[in-house]
């Protein structure tokens, strides 16, 4: 039978445990901020079509994310506190946007080391982020590229809405889908309007050349 501890021993052990948690939390928060910053920079480079730089930043974010998991992994209360999942969601978003705009297969949760709800919400935010890329393609006259990315956005949304589970399991995926639905509707309208304008311009050019407009 274990001998009962004295109050001073109990306090000493608790102080040591909380001190360890405190240092892990501070390190984890610092690393999570670095993940978010690297992911945001990655997305900025993607929109600038600077893909090589984006890949480097994404790999940096993955490495820091591994450090954060190790730092917080010894303390389950910290590991699931939320800020690590928020940072991981930004990582998913950056990785997915890079893959989508390059026409590549999106990374799976295992390759990024994230949970289901974090991954699904990150994919939803990635699809929303792609609207900016579509608009840039439209301004440049790249209608085919814009249509391809829009199609991927729509496909992601169509699949995300099938995860009809309580928010406690999906991390608020329903709200993410609602926001994505609005983004897709606006983007589809922009693509359609640009397509109509382009076709009208082609008709006008043919008319100037004396061609018959049917």
């Amino acid at each position: 039978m274990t001998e009962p501890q004295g109050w001073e021993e109990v306090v000493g052990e608790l102080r040591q445990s909380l001190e360890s948690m405190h240092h892990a939390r501070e390190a984890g928060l610092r690393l999570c901020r670095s993940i978010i910053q690297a992911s945001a920079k990655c997305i900025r480079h993607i929109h600038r079509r600077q893909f090589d730089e984006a890949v480097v930043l994404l790999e940096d974010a993955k490495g820091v994310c591994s450090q954060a998991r190790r730092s917080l992994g010894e303390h389950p209360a910290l590991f699931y506190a939320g800020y690590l999942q928020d940072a991981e969601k930004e990582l998913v978003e950056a990785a997915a946007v890079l893959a989508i705009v390059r026409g590549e297969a999106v990374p799976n949760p295992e390759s990024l080391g994230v949970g289901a709800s974090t991954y699904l919400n990150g994919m939803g935010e990635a699809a929303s982020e792609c609207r900016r890329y579509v608009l840039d393609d439209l301004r440049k006259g790249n209608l085919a590229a814009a249509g391809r990315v829009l199609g991927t956005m729509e496909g992601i949304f169509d699949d995300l809405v099938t995860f009809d589970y309580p928010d406690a399991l999906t991390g608020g995926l329903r709200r993410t889908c609602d926001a994505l639905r609005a983004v897709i509707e606006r983007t589809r309208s922009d693509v359609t309007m640009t397509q109509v304008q382009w076709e009208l311009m082609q008709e006008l050019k043919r008319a100037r050349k004396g061609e018959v407009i049917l």
Side-chain angles (χ1 to χ4, degrees):
M1 184 176 180
T2 305
E3 291 292 331
Q5 294 177 301
W7 169 242
E8 292 183 357
E9 292 177 322
V10 172
V11 169
E13 290 182 0
L14 290 174
R15 192 183 308 280
Q16 184 177 2
S17 175
L18 289 175
E19 185 70 14
S20 175
M21 289 182 66
H22 172 69
H23 286 299
R25 179 180 181 276
E26 292 300 309
L29 286 171
R30 184 177 64 256
L31 292 169
C32 287
R33 285 194 293 270
S34 296
I35 296 167
I36 293 172
Q37 291 168 358
S39 299
K41 290 178 181 177
C42 175
I43 291 176
R44 285 201 295 272
H45 280 289
I46 292 170
H47 287 306
R48 295 169 184 167
R49 268 63 170 181
Q50 299 169 340
F51 297 124
D52 290 341
E53 294 86 342
V55 169
V56 171
L57 285 164
L58 181 60
E59 292 304 315
D60 288 345
K62 289 180 181 178
V64 176
C65 201
S66 296
Q67 295 179 42
R69 292 181 190 123
R70 289 195 298 271
S71 177
L72 299 172
E74 298 179 0
H75 305 282
L78 297 177
F79 194 84
Y80 298 103
Y83 42 83
L84 176 59
Q85 287 69 38
D86 289 341
E88 288 178 337
K89 185 169 63 176
E90 298 298 320
L91 173 63
V92 173
E93 179 182 353
V97 171
L98 180 60
I100 291 169
V101 301
R102 298 175 81 179
E104 301 172 350
V106 297
N108 58 35
E110 291 75 19
S111 67
L112 298 174
V114 301
S117 64
T118 300
Y119 180 79
L120 293 172
N121 281 281
M123 288 299 301
E125 294 189 2
S128 291
E129 182 65 32
C130 284
R131 169 177 165 77
R132 177 179 169 186
Y133 202 89
V134 170
L135 295 180
D136 287 342
D137 274 334
L138 292 179
R139 281 192 288 269
K140 295 175 182 178
N142 299 329
L143 299 183
R148 178 188 63 78
V149 175
L150 173 60
T152 302
M153 293 166 61
E154 292 174 328
I156 290 172
F157 172 78
D158 290 343
D159 289 328
L160 289 181
V161 294
T162 65
F163 289 87
D164 189 20
Y165 301 103
D167 282 351
L169 295 179
T170 65
L173 182 61
R174 187 175 291 107
R175 291 190 298 274
T176 300
C177 287
D178 288 342
L180 177 56
R181 179 186 290 108
V183 169
I184 287 177
E185 288 175 355
R186 294 198 306 273
T187 307
R188 187 186 299 117
S189 175
D190 292 330
V191 171
T192 301
M193 183 63 67
T194 303
Q195 181 68 37
V196 170
Q197 291 173 345
W198 183 86
E199 292 175 356
L200 178 59
M201 289 175 60
Q202 299 308 306
E203 294 290 348
L204 291 174
K205 288 179 181 178
R206 286 194 290 270
R208 292 194 186 100
K209 294 178 180 179
E211 297 181 5
V212 177
I213 302 176
L214 299 178

